[in-house]
Amino acid sequence: MCGIVGFVGRRNAAPVLLEGLRRLEYRGYDSAGLALLDGGAFTLVRRKGRVAALEDAARGKAGKVGIGHTRWATHGAPSERNAHPHIYGKFAVVHNGIIENYRALKKECEESGETFASDTDSEVIAHLLAKYDEGDFLDSVRHAVAGLRGSYALAILCEGRPDELIAARKGSPLIVGERDGEWYVASDIPALAGKGMKLCPLSDGEIAVLKRGGAAFFDIEGKRIEKEWAEYDTETSAPQLCGYPHFMRKEIDEIPASIAQTAAEFLKKPANQSLCEVLCHTEYVQIVACGTAYHSGLAAKCAIEALARIPAEACIASEYRYRDPVVSKSTLVVAVSQSGETADTLAAARLAKERGAYLIAVANVPHSSLTALADHVIPTAAGTEIGVAATKSYNAQLIALYLLALSLRAAKSGARDVSSSGLASQCERDGEDARLLETLRALPALCGEAIAASRKTKEWARRFCSAKSIYFIGRGCDHAAAVEGSLKLKEISYLPSEGYPAGELKHGTLALIGRDTPVVAVMTDRALAEKTMNSVHEAISRGADAYLVTSLSEYAERKEFAASILVPACERLFSPAVSVIPLQLLAYETALACGNDPDKPRNLAKSVTVE
Ligand code: F6R
């Protein structure tokens, strides 16, 4: 989604801003722009389309202070006039988030004779800055943001102040960086890659004033606050393709390492007594998340209920707060998010906390709004994920949630030290728990084998790219993998697709099944296999070609399937981590066969920071 970069330094700002914007390209955007200050008036450059077009247009533009932005359209079409920065009077502003009361604010400005140059909600911020301008830049910002409802991350320049940038945040991430006496601001850490960069994330309601001579932080009342800085070697936050054609393909190959690292970090953490208490008293688990992360919740629900015998529910975060959810002190709410910045997931997590739940965050970005909000964080250690279609982060989420399921199981059986290292020793004592933990430890190797077994997906993709629509079916845990396989496929191939519980097909969707609608069955649970086969036969009888992803060798050779992929067998509750891999690769190969860029799907953004 939208990206922000700002710079105050001794060098020309444009190359720094452009480099930062390039590093944010993976997030998805449709236009880009920058504004520079070089003593006099602003230099404004904006372009619809790629950062490369902006780079050409910005060549030779001077200014040691600047702000840049990649925009993902929400209010107003993707166009040059709607691209940020927006300038009004003495102020230039870039904005991430949504201003919910912009219509009323814009009306007020128009009634007092001001005209607007764009269709965005963001432009109203520049008008408010001008309205409150009495010569003190910080005061103008404080008063302007006080009138905003919604979410914002802002970087602002003021004409006449050629060595100053102000940044402010509420509900949308923003990080200040410093290296060698030069100051940076960005919406995401990858934009600030480089050795020796010191970083300081802003919290909601905070304002940073960056000048050539130093940085100062204030609250919304204008009171000075002290912030902590941490040094990051952010070189590692700017992943390279390393010979792969696409990040998505590389990230699938990184799945074994991602899950091994996630499990290792979980198990080496020292025991946390308050978490242990919470797990011991948990009577109900709600997993709140969106998209792929929600699908990891569907798999985790099966594991938690089966292993810990605690009722669990996977909740779509964007629906959660509108259904007046039942939450009590014995409810454990687990918010799952790769980015930790998804607006819907954050809103659900906040509501759950307000209602008294203990909040665990399962997040891949360590310093995110979600990790700041949570009572306890289980990190996924997938590393930066560039492909918009989540792959390795999903598998890492599964492992984190399975370990949580084992912790809940240990808590239920009376263990007092049920987290991390405590879990490991508990599992070593108990035969069945030891077996489960061993199964989890074997998953990286099994995922590696599944990647190797998925070569055939290229051939499947050649047939799928001309299909009318594609259905994915499975029962139990296989259903969780099926819906994720379907989401991956539609995201990057743009082919219509649905994932269904296999038994549900005959209750309506079968009407759509025919010759040009391949059906992919996921089948890893021997106890449910014949039931799933019934649904497969129903589809075949209507003319569909059936494809199979299975760990059951006796089904892999069955003649009724047009093709099948045999993945290694593992404990049925953990099988989605393995069986999803051919489906991720199928989506990747189908996107290529359709002529699409799998890393940059149309209309989608990596981090969805608006409701
Ligand atoms: C799909 C995908 C999205 C995200 C969803 C939640 O490939 O990536 O469905 O899973 O937008 O994002 P996070 O995990 O950042 O909260």
Side-chain angles (χ1 to χ4, degrees):
M1 197 147 269
C2 304
I4 287 178
V5 187
F7 179 70
V8 181
R10 297 179 296 274
R11 302 169 278 161
N12 245 353
V16 180
L17 299 178
L18 287 162
E19 175 58 22
L21 293 180
R22 266 195 300 271
R23 288 175 182 276
L24 296 181
E25 277 193 293
Y26 74 94
R27 295 164 52 85
Y29 68 103
D30 41 52
S31 58
L34 54 84
L36 305 168
L37 257 186
D38 192 22
F42 290 118
T43 301
L44 177 68
V45 191
R46 298 183 297 186
R47 287 292 179 273
K48 185 177 170 198
R50 298 272 151 211
V51 171
L54 183 71
E55 197 167 352
D56 289 342
R59 199 153 289 128
K61 307 283 189 216
K64 296 189 171 73
V65 176
I67 51 177
H69 192 258
T70 45
R71 173 175 188 257
W72 187 80
T74 54
H75 296 70
S79 66
E80 194 168 315
R81 65 191 286 273
N82 287 333
H84 300 212
H86 294 290
I87 295 180
Y88 189 77
K90 286 159 53 182
F91 297 94
V93 61
V94 292
H95 166 227
N96 284 1
I98 286 191
I99 305 305
E100 286 165 4
N101 58 339
Y102 86 99
R103 279 178 215 283
L105 294 170
K106 186 169 176 178
K107 191 158 166 263
E108 263 175 46
C109 296
E110 284 174 334
E111 278 166 6
S112 48
E114 297 174 16
T115 52
F116 280 71
S118 76
D119 309 315
T120 64
D121 55 335
S122 310
E123 189 186 350
V124 79
I125 302 165
H127 286 250
L128 289 185
L129 288 161
K131 176 175 165 184
Y132 293 111
D133 177 28
E134 289 183 357
D136 184 318
F137 189 7
L138 175 61
D139 275 355
S140 314
V141 173
R142 286 201 307 108
H143 287 117
V145 298
L148 302 177
R149 247 193 9 244
S151 58
Y152 57 79
L154 301 171
I156 308 164
L157 301 182
C158 177
E159 256 172 22
R161 299 198 177 237
D163 73 339
E164 194 170 347
L165 182 162
I166 293 190
R169 146 183 189 158
K170 191 188 132 208
S172 220
L174 206 55
I175 303 140
V176 175
E178 186 270 334
R179 189 177 48 206
D180 301 334
E182 296 187 303
W183 301 91
Y184 302 76
V185 62
S187 50
D188 303 82
I189 289 178
L192 301 178
K195 278 213 184 311
M197 180 76 80
K198 278 198 253 147
L199 297 182
C200 177
L202 288 188
S203 299
D204 276 354
E206 292 181 349
I207 300 174
V209 178
L210 311 181
K211 295 190 191 180
R212 222 160 270 148
F217 298 90
F218 299 87
D219 66 13
I220 199 81
E221 309 298 333
K223 212 167 95 226
R224 188 98 187 234
I225 48 178
E226 291 308 317
K227 297 278 295 173
E228 286 193 3
W229 293 81
E231 191 155 330
Y232 289 73
D233 180 2
T234 51
E235 210 73 74
T236 50
S237 304
Q240 306 296 316
L241 278 168
C242 303
Y244 282 87
H246 300 98
F247 280 106
M248 183 179 174
R249 185 64 192 80
K250 177 172 177 252
E251 286 159 2
I252 292 172
D253 271 0
E254 288 168 354
I255 288 171
S258 304
I259 60 178
Q261 190 59 24
T262 301
E265 288 194 14
F266 185 99
L267 292 168
K268 80 168 187 240
K269 261 200 179 172
N272 167 339
Q273 271 320 311
S274 69
L275 175 66
C276 295
E277 282 299 310
V278 169
L279 298 189
C280 290
H281 294 106
T282 294
E283 286 172 8
Y284 178 34
V285 181
Q286 290 178 336
I287 304 162
V288 295
C290 302
T292 288
Y294 164 71
H295 293 159
S296 75
L298 288 177
K301 168 201 156 63
C302 300
I304 292 169
E305 290 196 333
L307 294 175
R309 305 305 298 157
I310 297 174
E313 184 194 5
C315 315
I316 292 181
S318 58
E319 292 288 327
Y320 186 77
R321 77 192 118 147
Y322 301 114
R323 69 173 222 211
D324 194 11
V326 179
V327 178
S328 76
K329 289 220 175 314
S330 59
T331 308
L332 174 66
V333 172
V334 185
V336 186
S337 173
Q338 183 282 128
S339 62
E341 299 296 348
T342 301
D344 289 320
T345 306
L346 281 169
R350 275 191 205 105
L351 178 66
K353 261 196 94 166
E354 273 162 34
R355 296 201 170 180
Y358 186 89
L359 178 68
I360 293 184
V362 174
N364 199 45
V365 175
H367 302 281
S368 61
S369 305
L370 185 62
T371 56
L373 184 68
D375 298 303
H376 181 78
V377 177
I378 301 179
T380 52
T384 306
E385 190 173 64
I386 299 285
V388 167
T391 51
K392 62 176 180 172
S393 65
Y394 167 80
N395 298 66
Q397 284 162 357
L398 288 179
I399 280 10
L401 292 166
Y402 294 154
L403 283 160
L404 178 65
L406 286 182
S407 301
L408 283 161
R409 175 186 167 86
K412 261 278 174 135
S413 70
R416 287 341 272 172
D417 177 7
V418 293
S419 69
S420 49
S421 53
L423 171 67
S425 43
Q426 157 80 11
C427 287
E428 263 135 43
R429 283 193 298 274
D430 180 297
E432 174 60 1
D433 289 2
R435 187 190 69 76
L436 289 165
L437 192 60
E438 266 328 294
T439 314
L440 271 187
R441 285 190 170 128
L443 277 180
L446 301 185
C447 289
E449 286 175 40
I451 294 170
S454 300
R455 273 184 223 102
K456 282 187 206 159
T457 51
K458 209 177 206 144
E459 174 51 30
W460 294 23
R462 266 198 286 277
R463 302 187 219 167
F464 280 32
C465 64
S466 56
K468 195 165 130 208
S469 53
I470 296 147
Y471 294 89
F472 291 78
I473 58 169
R475 281 176 187 262
C477 299
D478 291 333
H479 167 245
V483 287
E484 175 55 10
S486 168
L487 179 66
K488 280 298 83 97
L489 187 81
K490 68 183 118 177
E491 270 184 284
I492 58 175
S493 72
Y494 315 146
L495 292 166
S497 172
E498 286 305 331
Y500 268 96
E504 195 55 19
L505 214 54
K506 60 185 176 294
H507 295 292
T509 306
L510 203 53
L512 299 175
I513 304 283
R515 267 186 201 297
D516 43 8
T517 57
V519 173
V520 181
V522 184
M523 226 163 71
T524 64
D525 187 343
R526 187 161 278 110
L528 298 175
E530 278 309 310
K531 304 279 175 210
T532 303
M533 285 305 289
N534 290 343
S535 311
V536 168
H537 286 133
E538 284 159 13
I540 292 173
S541 312
R542 270 80 191 171
D545 282 336
Y547 293 78
L548 178 67
V549 169
T550 188
S551 56
L552 310 171
S553 53
E554 66 272 33
Y555 288 92
E557 299 301 326
R558 291 269 290 253
K559 296 225 168 10
E560 51 266 69
F561 291 105
S564 62
I565 291 174
L566 184 63
V567 292
C570 74
E571 157 62 43
R572 82 181 167 89
L573 293 169
F574 305 152
S575 66
V578 178
S579 59
V580 78
I581 288 175
L583 307 183
Q584 293 166 330
L585 281 162
L586 175 63
Y588 172 78
E589 294 293 353
T590 310
L592 294 185
C594 294
N596 304 338
D597 179 347
D599 282 347
K600 297 193 181 92
R602 69 182 183 204
N603 301 342
L604 299 179
K606 185 68 185 159
S607 167
V608 186
T609 51
V610 293
E611 191 186 337

